[in-house]
Amino acid sequence: MAARRVLKAVLVDLSGTLHVEDSAVPGSQEALKRLRNAPVAIRFVTNTTKESKRDLLERLKTLEFDIAEDEIFTSLTAARNLLEQKQVRPLLLVDDNALQDFRGIPTNDPNAVVVGLAPEHFNYRMMNKAFRLILDGAPLIAIHKARYYKRKDGLALGPGPFVTGLEYATDTKATVVGKPETTFFLEALSGTGCKPEETVMIGDDCRDDVGGAQNAGMLGILVKTGKYRAADEDKINPAPYLICESFPQAVDHILHHLL
Amino acid sequence: MHQLQAAGRAVRAMAEWAKQLAGIKGVMLDISGVLYDSGGEGGGVPIPGSIEAVEKTRLNCGCYSTHAHVDMSTAFAMIKASGLKLRFCTNETQATRGKFVAKLQRLGFNILVNEVTAPAPAACRILKERNLRPHLLVHDDLVPEFDQLDKANPNCVVIGDAADNFSYKNLNEAFRVLIGLENPILISLGRGRYYKETDGLKLDVGVYMKALEYACDVQAEVVGKPAKMFFQSALAEMEVEPQQAIMIGDDIVNDVGGAQQCGMRALQVRTGKYRPCDEQHPEVKADGYVNNLAEAVDIIVKQLHK
C-alpha cells in the first residue's frame, strides 16, 4: 500500500456496529470516548430508509452514546443534499417517519422521484405516478438498492426491486445515494476538511461499509457484530484493511497503530 | 409547397417498405394500441379506422361480404381457405382469452377466439408439460385460465399484467415463494415496460418481472412477445413461414424487434404506446412506420392488388 498520510477522520456505522437493535455493543460507549480524545474528526454514517436523524439520535442517547446530531450522516441526508443541489421537487416514496428529514423541501408539482423503503407507497397507482414523472424527465433517486431485508414475519422486499423495475420501465439509471456509493462517503467527509486517504471506516457490512469506503480511497475495518456472517470478508477484493471482533477493538487498533 | 414536398417524401417512404411486400401471405396484428386503446368504462376505445382495417384485410382474401351479420364460423372458414392469412398476437393478460375476445367483439371488431395467440394459454401448456404448480401473480380476471392446474404447494411463480394486484403484499408473497424454492422458476407472461390506457401510460408486467429477478437473482422465462417460441406458435397457427408474414404493432421492442428476430417483417404504428423517439431506437429499426393500422392495411392491400 502507498504511504499514507496521518489519520484525520473516522467514519462509524451505527446499526450492527455501535448497537444491535436496542442494545449497545459491549464496551462501545467507552471506546467512543477514548476515540474522542484523539485528534480525529468523527462522523456516524448509516443507510437508513425508515428512521429520521432524530429517531436515530434518540435511540443512541438512550443507549448512552455521546453523539451530536450534526455528526450523523444518513442516506436520507445524502438524498436531501442531492435534491437541494439539483433544485428539484420530489415525489417522496419514503416511510412516513423519514419525511421529517425532508422538511422544507418543496414537493408540490413534483419533478423528481425519491425511492426509499415504503411498502405502503409501493402500490400500482404510486408506481405509475413515479413512472410517468421519470418518463417526463424527472431524475430517479434511490436511498439504496437493498434486495430484501428481514422482518419479524420473514423476508420482505427492499427498495432495490422497485428501483430496478422503474429503471427498466423508463430505460434510465437511478442515482443511488447511500452506501456503498463513493459520493456518499465523500459527502459524509465534507465539513471535516479531511480527505479519503486520511480516513478509516468501521462497519459490520462487508460490501456496503468496508468495500464502499475502500473504493472511495479510505481504509475499511470490518467488525464481527451485527449482520456479520462467517466468511463475509471474502466478499470483497481487495480484502478489508482489518477485521476486528467489535468496535472497541477497532478503536484500540486506530489509537495504537494509525495515529 | 412545403406540404407537397412533405407529402411526396411520405409517399416515397411508404413505397420503400411496400416494395418489399411480394410473397406476403399472412398479416399478424398486435391488439392493444393497434386495434384499440384499453381502459375506461367500456374497457377501451377503438383506434379510428381499425375496425374497417381488419375488415379490409379479410376482404382482401376475397373471403366474404361484410354486409350485415355474416355468420362468424363461416367467415372464419372462408379466411382459412383464402390467400392472405390473418392472426392476432397479443400479450394481453388482464382477462382470459375468451373474455378478451368478447370485449373486442363488443367494441365492433370481427375477431374469433381461435384467431388469437395469447400468453396465458401458452403458459398453461408449458406448466402442464413440466409438471409445474404455479403461484399466480396475475389479474383476477385471468385466474380462470389456470383452472385446470394444480396450484397447491407451488413450485414456480407465474406473473402477468396484474395491474392493481401489483401491491407490495402480493409481490412480497411471490418473492417469498421464489426465494424459498431450491430451484426458483419465474415465468413471465410478456416482458413489456408499459402500455397505454385511455387515462395514460401504465406499468406492464416486465417491470415487476425485473423487480423479482433482481430480488431473487433469477432470470425469468418469458412466454409472450418478444419470445421467439411465441411468434413461432402464432406462425404455425397461420400456417405461413416467417418470411411470408408481416407483423404490425405499437411496441418497437416486443412487437417489431421480436417479430424481426423471428424472421418476419414488421411495421410500427404511430398509435398506442408509440413515442416519436421509437423511430431512433438504438437496437430496433422497423421495416416501416405507419400512422395507424388503417394506413398500413391500405398500403398492403393496394400493393398486393398491383
Side-chain angles (χ1 to χ4, degrees), chain A residues 119 122-124 127-128 131-132 135 145 147-149 151 153-157 160-162 164-165 168-169 171, chain B residues 163-164 166 168 171-172 175-176 179 191 193-195 199-203 206-208 210-211 214-215 275:
Chain A
F122 290 149
N123 55 57
Y124 190 60
M127 287 287 284
N128 270 321
F131 156 67
R132 291 176 193 176
L135 210 56
K145 277 186 84 174
R147 291 175 158 79
Y148 50 84
Y149 67 106
R151 244 175 19 190
D153 63 341
L155 295 180
L157 291 167
F162 297 91
T164 306
Y168 175 73
D171 220 346
Chain B
D164 287 327
F166 280 134
Y168 182 83
L171 205 66
N172 214 31
F175 159 71
R176 284 180 180 179
I179 203 93
R191 54 174 299 151
R193 291 159 200 257
Y194 54 87
Y195 52 85
D199 59 343
L201 298 176
K202 299 274 175 78
L203 291 171
V207 173
Y208 291 90
K210 282 284 169 189
Y214 178 78
R275 306 172 88 215

Side-chain angles (χ1 to χ4, degrees), chain A residues 170-190:
Chain A
T170 55
D171 220 346
T172 52
K173 274 274 160 224
T175 305
V176 184
V177 293
K179 295 183 279 187
E181 300 301 310
T182 294
T183 48
F184 176 86
F185 291 99
L186 299 184
E187 267 196 73
L189 276 186
S190 75

Side-chain angles (χ1 to χ4, degrees), chain B residues 13-89:
Chain B
M14 261 158 34
E16 276 316 303
W17 65 266
K19 274 185 214 153
Q20 317 295 319
L21 285 173
I24 285 293
K25 290 187 176 161
V27 178
M28 199 183 285
L29 301 182
D30 174 35
I31 296 177
S32 179
V34 176
L35 299 191
Y36 84 118
D37 283 321
S38 60
E41 276 193 8
V45 182
I47 290 169
S50 57
I51 292 177
E52 297 75 19
V54 171
E55 290 304 310
K56 213 165 184 175
T57 317
R58 291 191 195 281
L59 274 176
N60 193 58
C61 324
C63 316
Y64 63 95
S65 146
T66 49
H67 291 308
H69 306 284
V70 177
D71 170 51
M72 284 290 186
S73 57
T74 316
F76 180 66
M78 289 168 83
I79 296 158
K80 278 272 180 192
S82 76
L84 195 61
K85 304 263 178 59
L86 176 62
R87 181 131 198 114
F88 302 90
C89 187

Side-chain angles (χ1 to χ4, degrees), chain B residues 106-169:
Chain B
R106 263 200 319 279
L107 290 174
F109 289 99
N110 180 359
I111 180 171
L112 295 168
V113 170
N114 42 6
E115 292 175 317
V116 177
T117 301
C124 277
R125 278 199 304 277
I126 292 170
L127 293 167
K128 270 183 208 153
E129 273 165 29
R130 288 163 58 182
N131 284 321
L132 292 172
R133 300 178 303 276
H135 170 91
L136 300 175
L137 176 49
V138 299
H139 200 282
D140 289 344
D141 293 342
L142 190 70
V143 173
E145 202 87 82
F146 299 89
D147 272 351
Q148 305 302 313
L149 293 165
D150 177 11
K151 291 181 280 294
N153 187 21
N155 56 4
C156 76
V157 167
V158 172
I159 181 173
D161 173 17
D164 287 327
N165 276 350
F166 280 134
S167 63
Y168 182 83
K169 188 176 154 288

